[in-house]
Amino acid sequence: SGTGFSIQEDSILKAVLITGANGFIGSVLCSRLVAEKWNVSGTVRSAENYSSVQGVKSVIIGDIDTATDWNAALQGIDTVVHLAARVHVMKDSSAEPLQAYREVNVYGTERLALQAADAGVNRFIFLSTVKVNGEENRKAYTESDRPSPMDSYGISKMEAELKLRKIAAETGMAVVILRPPLVYGPGVKANFLKLLQTVDRRMPLPFAGVQNQRSLIYVDNLVDAIVSCVLHPNAPGQTFLVSDGKDVSTPELIRMIAAALQKQPRLFRFPPLALYIAGRLTGKGPAVDRLIGSLSVNTGKIKNELGWTAPFTLEEGLQNTAFWYKRIKKSNYRL
């Protein structure tokens, strides 16, 4: 652990409820807590979604919205880690995207927090996003910066944070908010998986001239930060930005991924402005922006308040992700 905190040092065996227990982050968190002998419950949407982690008590709660009944899941629970969310969707088919995000991320979170407070939960950890701060920066974001979310997902997470702070003030339940940047690791999907595949196939990439800075966080580092927020006496009432602690440019990241995959990267120069325009013309603006723009976070606060630093380096995280990717690629070839 990056903090040296573990459950063995805590006198009471904590009963924790993890929402989104079978998701990318949730499954890693469940595995860690079960290994450390926590009493772990995890909410899932249906019987088909039961947690794959042995030792986790799965609780079916259906869809998350204003009507979700969390009471059965909250019995005897000391800490809630709320990971479940309507996540960032590149091509949103919803007629009212913001409303769809609010239903789950704002009102669903509010209902869970109110029922948790009523059930006597002591601490509520909320996984938010750096998108609450904004989409791009020249200077690393800090927790004291004015929020500037640019899309429906970021707006819904900011509104959820505001609801949680209000509930904490009214009920006394301790709330801790974490804002990670891009999370990667074994099991990653979407854009990061596409980048792995692209580098693995040695496809030429036009980013050699890009001089941006991006923060990322390896999933095991994020899980370690969550555990610190559950255990540390200084965590309640705080909002923390987290990352691997090393920012990289897009070409640096591609070279590191290539090294982890034992491939030669194929990078060539193309003017960033031309890339930006091409992204707009092809409808891939947001994806291109993430590859050429900067988005970095300052992790000084969590280091100072909780003594937390990432236990895994960016290199180690990418190595582990590449190892997983090669393994699934091999098994898929055999199918």
Side-chain angles (χ1 to χ4, degrees):
S1 165
T3 59
F5 270 100
S6 76
I7 197 66
Q8 284 80 3
E9 295 161 37
D10 215 29
S11 54
I12 307 159
L13 184 68
K14 284 193 180 289
V16 63
L17 176 70
I18 298 163
T19 71
N22 53 354
F24 168 45
I25 299 162
S27 55
V28 179
L29 179 59
C30 285
S31 297
R32 160 91 183 254
L33 297 183
V34 167
E36 290 190 6
K37 307 285 191 286
W38 295 51
N39 178 357
V40 185
S41 297
T43 65
V44 293
R45 285 175 68 175
S46 65
E48 298 92 74
N49 301 127
Y50 264 26
S51 172
S52 58
V53 179
Q54 279 209 310
V56 174
K57 178 189 166 193
S58 291
V59 187
I60 300 168
I61 48 101
D63 289 334
I64 297 175
D65 54 29
T66 51
T68 310
D69 186 358
W70 300 91
N71 285 308
L74 289 164
Q75 294 312 306
I77 294 296
D78 176 78
T79 303
V80 170
V81 180
H82 186 34
L83 306 175
R86 185 174 201 270
V87 294
H88 190 61
V89 188
M90 288 308 288
K91 287 180 181 166
D92 206 322
S93 57
S94 170
E96 292 278 347
L98 182 54
Q99 196 47 41
Y101 280 110
R102 278 180 172 147
E103 193 71 24
V104 180
N105 297 352
V106 184
Y107 312 131
T109 299
E110 179 182 34
R111 184 166 173 87
L112 169 60
L114 287 169
Q115 291 189 353
D118 283 346
V121 166
N122 289 320
R123 203 174 286 200
F124 190 104
I125 317 295
F126 179 62
L127 192 70
S128 187
T129 170
V130 70
K131 283 174 165 285
V132 170
N133 283 77
E135 295 283 345
E136 197 171 331
N137 59 21
R138 291 207 176 123
K139 184 169 167 267
Y141 285 129
T142 68
E143 295 82 356
S144 58
D145 290 338
R146 188 176 173 176
S148 182
M150 306 297 284
D151 65 7
S152 300
Y153 174 62
I155 291 165
S156 71
K157 285 289 196 174
M158 179 189 72
E159 290 176 355
E161 287 187 13
L162 294 171
K163 295 270 188 199
L164 288 172
R165 288 194 192 101
K166 186 168 182 281
I167 291 165
E170 289 169 359
T171 66
M173 180 174 69
V175 167
V176 191
I177 294 163
L178 278 166
R179 291 185 194 157
L182 174 72
V183 185
Y184 69 96
V188 71
K189 294 183 174 75
N191 292 328
F192 202 90
L193 179 57
K194 279 186 196 144
L195 187 59
L196 281 169
Q197 291 165 332
T198 304
V199 175
D200 183 49
R201 290 171 188 151
R202 300 204 59 238
M203 290 166 76
L205 292 164
F207 305 116
V210 173
Q211 296 179 317
N212 60 346
Q213 287 289 291
R214 306 287 300 188
S215 294
L216 302 89
I217 189 162
Y218 177 48
V219 65
D220 287 74
N221 285 338
L222 177 56
V223 160
D224 195 72
I226 291 168
V227 173
S228 293
C229 289
V230 171
L231 293 173
H232 204 291
N234 294 349
Q238 303 282 13
T239 299
F240 297 115
L241 288 160
V242 286
S243 80
D244 285 342
K246 178 180 179 178
D247 298 338
V248 286
S249 68
T250 296
E252 281 174 322
L253 178 62
I254 289 166
R255 287 187 194 102
M256 289 169 83
I257 290 171
L261 291 168
Q262 297 172 304
K263 295 282 168 97
Q264 279 296 113
R266 296 182 71 191
L267 284 159
F268 66 94
R269 281 181 188 278
F270 199 73
L273 180 61
L275 285 170
Y276 177 84
I277 293 165
R280 293 294 172 282
L281 293 174
T282 56
K284 293 184 177 168
V288 171
D289 291 352
R290 276 195 288 278
L291 288 163
I292 64 174
S294 291
L295 200 164
S296 59
V297 302
N298 182 322
T299 57
K301 184 180 173 186
I302 193 168
K303 192 174 183 179
N304 294 336
E305 296 284 337
L306 309 189
W308 185 84
T309 52
F312 296 91
T313 63
L314 176 62
E315 288 83 355
E316 287 169 331
L318 291 174
Q319 284 285 352
N320 293 342
T321 308
F323 182 75
W324 160 81
Y325 171 77
K326 287 196 263 196
R327 209 172 63 237
I328 59 151
K329 194 176 87 163
K330 214 174 191 176
S331 63
N332 285 346
Y333 282 155
R334 285 189 190 137
L335 293 175

